[in-house]
Amino acid sequence: MKTIAEPEELALGTSLPPGDHHGVSVHLPNWQDTVGWASREPRVLDAMKTGYPRFFIHRIVLGLAMRLLERLRSGENAPGSKEPEERLAVILSSIRHGQLCRKALIEWSTQREGHTTCSSAGIGIYIVTWEGRISAVEDNEECLNELAQNRSIGEEDIILVSYPFELAMEAKSFWQHTGFGNSSRRATHWLEHAPFLNPQVPETTLPSPAERRHSVGKARAALKKRIAAGHSSNTFTVSPNNVFLFLTGMTAIVETADAIKTLRSATTDSPYRVAVFGFLYVDTFKVLHRVLGYEPTLYKYTTSDLDALEAALLFSSSSSPSSSSPTQTPPKFDAIITEFPGNPLLQSPDLTRLHALAQRHGAVLVVDDTVGTYTSLNLLQHCDAIVTSLTKMFSGGCNVMGGSVALNPDSPHQSSLKEVLENKQDEEAERAWFWEDVLVMEENSRDFAARVHQASGNAEVVVGLLRASEVVREVFYPLGAPTQDVYDRYRVEGGKYGFLLSIRFTSPARAVAFYNALDVAKGPSLGTNFTLCCAYTLLAHYKELEWAAEYGVVEDLVRISVGLEEREWLEMRVQKALRAAEEGMDIFRRVGT
C-alpha cells in the first residue's frame, strides 16, 4: 500500500497503514484525540490498535512479555528464579541492553519522590532461549558469552528484564528513549513458532534456517550498499563497510554516542559533554543525558547561537594549560549533534562552520539527516557521522523500524568509531534487528529516491497553498526559509526541499479547525508514503509545553509529512481544511479546546 484513498473514513485508533498488524503509526482524527493520547485518556488508549512502537509498546510484544513473565513466576525451567506477582517486564535483544536498562531504572528510581530506591537485586535480567529455558543473568561481563552464538536466524535468544510495578513509567521511558525493544514481527514469530509457546506448531511455510540466513545476509548487504552509494559522489566514496545497521533510528543515535565515549575516559572534573545544536527531536536530547550520562548544552539554530558555541570552545581551549595541544586535554564537548534540517521547524545549520569547529576542538560532529535524506543533500563530507531513522521515508511503508550510521571515511575519528561499532555488530547488532524486519526494509527502500522526489514536489505545492492563505502565520519549510541559502549549499543537483513542513496559524482556533478538517491520515511519525499530519508539540512535548515554546515549537503547531498522492487530491483536501480554518473560532469554542 502506497497511499490511503479515503483516510477520512478511518476510525480513531486504526493502525496506519490500515490493516497492517505491524503499522508504526495510529490514526488520531481529531485534535482532542491527540490531547487524549498525550494525557492518557482511557477513551483514546482503549481504542488504539497500535501506535508508534517506541511510544506505544505493541500489544503483541506486551503479550509475549507477559507470557514469559508468567513462565518465570511459575519457576518452570528457571530453578531459583521464581518472581513475585507484582512485577512487569520488557523484552530486549541483548544482555548489554538489559544491563543498561537495569542501570537506568536504578538511577531513575532515586529521582522519584515517595518511592523506595530500587537496588540491582530488584531488577532481573534473564536469557530466554527458543526452547523456553529461562536463565538469570549476573551483572558482569562474563555473561555476555552466555548468549548462543550459533542460533538459527529467527531463533536467537531474547532478553527479559523484570522490574517492580512502580517502575513502569521509568521502564517505558527507557524503551522509548533507546529504541532497544523487540519488534512486533519478532514477537509474532515467537508466539507462533517457539515450541514452548505453541506446542502444536502447525505446518509452516517459513523458509529453512539456511534460506533465512542467506536472504537476510543478502538484504543487509544490499541496504549497506544502497546507503553507502547514496552518501557517495564522484569525488567522495563511502564503503558499505562504513555503514552500520540497527533496529531503530534512536538505537543508531545511542550506539554512535556511546561509541564516542570510548574516545577518552571521563572524570569527575571532566564528564562527557555534548552540544545539541538546534531544537532536536525530543528523545535525542533525553537519551544523551538520561541514559548515556552526557552533560548537554542546548543551542538554537541562529548565527548568534553558533557564535556562542564557538566562544565556548575558544574559551575552553584558551583556559586549558595544554591549549597548544587540544588532543591531549579533554575537549569542551565530546560531540556536537544536530539535525539537517531540523524537526519540526526545518531550520538548516551551517555544517561547514560546525565541522570546522568540531575538528579544531576535538569534537565529533554527528548529523541526523532523516528529514533531509541523502537523495536531496550531500552532508557526510561535512561531518564525522550521519545517523538516520530508516523507519521514515527510507522505508516509506510505515510498517517497519530500522536505523543506520554512516561514517565519513576522511574523519579523524573514523578508525576508532568504526572499530567500536564493528565490535558491537559482532556481539549483538546483527542479531538484534529481526530478520523479517530486515527483509521488509530492504524491499520497501528500493524506490527510495523516486519517492523522496515525488513527495517533495507535492510538498512544495502544499507549501504554496498554505503561504497564500490569510489564516496561516508561518510555514516552516526549507524553501523560502531564512536558512534556505544554507540548505542550498549542500543540496545535490536536482535535489528538492523535502517532504516535511510545519504550520503556525494566526490563532490556536484555526490550527484546531484545520487539523480536524484535513482529510488525511493523522498520527505520529513522518516520512510515510501517504500524507500524515500531526499536532506535533502535543505528541512530543505535552509535559513541557512552555519549554518547547521558548524554542518556537508552540502548542498549536501542525506538522504535515506529505506523501505520494495525486496533487489534485492533496490540493482539494488542503483547500477544504483552510476554508474550515477561516471558521476556526466557532469550532474552537464548540470542542472546548
Side-chain angles (χ1 to χ4, degrees), residues 50-334:
T50 186
Y52 193 74
R54 286 192 303 99
F55 287 82
F56 180 92
I57 300 178
H58 199 290
R59 298 190 190 281
I60 294 173
V61 176
L62 187 60
L64 176 59
M66 293 301 100
R67 290 279 299 274
L68 298 179
L69 185 59
E70 182 59 35
R71 187 176 180 85
L72 187 59
R73 284 172 179 156
S74 71
E76 185 179 358
N77 289 335
S81 299
K82 191 170 181 178
E83 293 255 307
E85 293 294 324
E86 295 298 319
R87 296 181 74 79
L88 297 173
V90 293
I91 306 173
L92 306 176
S93 299
S94 78
I95 291 178
R96 185 173 64 87
H97 290 172
Q99 291 170 329
L100 282 172
C101 183
R102 171 190 279 169
K103 180 175 180 289
L105 295 186
I106 292 171
E107 291 179 355
W108 297 349
S109 70
T110 65
Q111 301 168 10
R112 295 188 67 181
E113 295 182 4
H115 290 272
T116 303
T117 301
C118 186
S119 66
S120 178
I123 300 170
I125 306 175
Y126 302 90
I127 297 176
V128 185
T129 69
W130 181 250
E131 297 78 19
R133 183 171 62 90
I134 303 178
S135 305
V137 174
E138 297 299 326
D139 197 7
N140 60 61
E141 291 300 318
E142 293 179 3
C143 291
L144 293 173
N145 298 321
E146 291 189 24
L147 280 176
Q149 297 296 319
N150 298 312
R151 288 281 186 183
S152 296
I153 295 291
E155 299 179 4
E156 302 93 341
D157 302 338
I158 58 177
I159 305 302
L160 184 74
V161 178
S162 71
Y163 53 88
F165 184 83
E166 65 178 15
L167 293 182
M169 292 296 293
E170 285 82 358
K172 176 63 168 57
S173 292
F174 181 85
W175 175 286
Q176 175 180 325
H177 295 339
T178 63
F180 287 166
N182 272 215
S183 77
S184 57
R185 283 189 181 83
R186 187 191 291 273
T188 300
H189 181 77
W190 272 64
L191 288 168
E192 292 181 352
H193 300 288
F196 74 100
L197 292 171
N198 192 357
Q200 304 299 324
V201 177
E203 290 295 323
T204 178
T205 56
L206 282 175
S208 68
E211 290 172 327
R212 278 179 260 168
R213 185 172 296 278
H214 173 75
S215 61
V216 76
K218 184 178 179 181
R220 282 183 171 277
L223 286 167
K224 291 184 177 183
K225 182 178 179 181
R226 190 169 298 153
I227 294 168
H231 288 299
S232 299
S233 66
N234 292 334
T235 58
F236 181 75
T237 302
V238 180
S239 166
N241 292 331
N242 268 19
V243 176
F244 300 88
L245 305 174
F246 297 94
L247 66 165
T248 70
M250 280 310 304
T251 303
I253 291 173
V254 172
E255 301 297 17
T256 302
D258 194 45
I260 291 170
K261 290 171 67 175
T262 67
L263 300 181
R264 74 173 181 92
S265 297
T267 65
T268 303
D269 295 330
S270 180
Y272 296 114
R273 296 187 176 95
V274 58
V276 179
F277 196 78
F279 190 89
L280 269 60
Y281 176 66
V282 54
D283 281 326
T284 300
F285 181 84
K286 291 181 178 179
V287 78
L288 291 170
H289 178 53
R290 299 193 71 200
V291 178
L292 296 180
Y294 278 89
E295 288 191 1
T297 302
L298 183 58
Y299 295 88
K300 297 180 183 179
Y301 271 114
T302 66
T303 301
S304 61
D305 285 287
L306 190 50
D307 292 340
L309 172 61
E310 181 171 18
L313 291 168
L314 290 172
F315 177 78
S316 175
S317 297
S318 63
S319 62
S320 168
S322 303
S323 59
S324 61
S325 182
T327 59
Q328 297 178 9
T329 59
K332 170 69 175 178
F333 294 112
D334 296 276

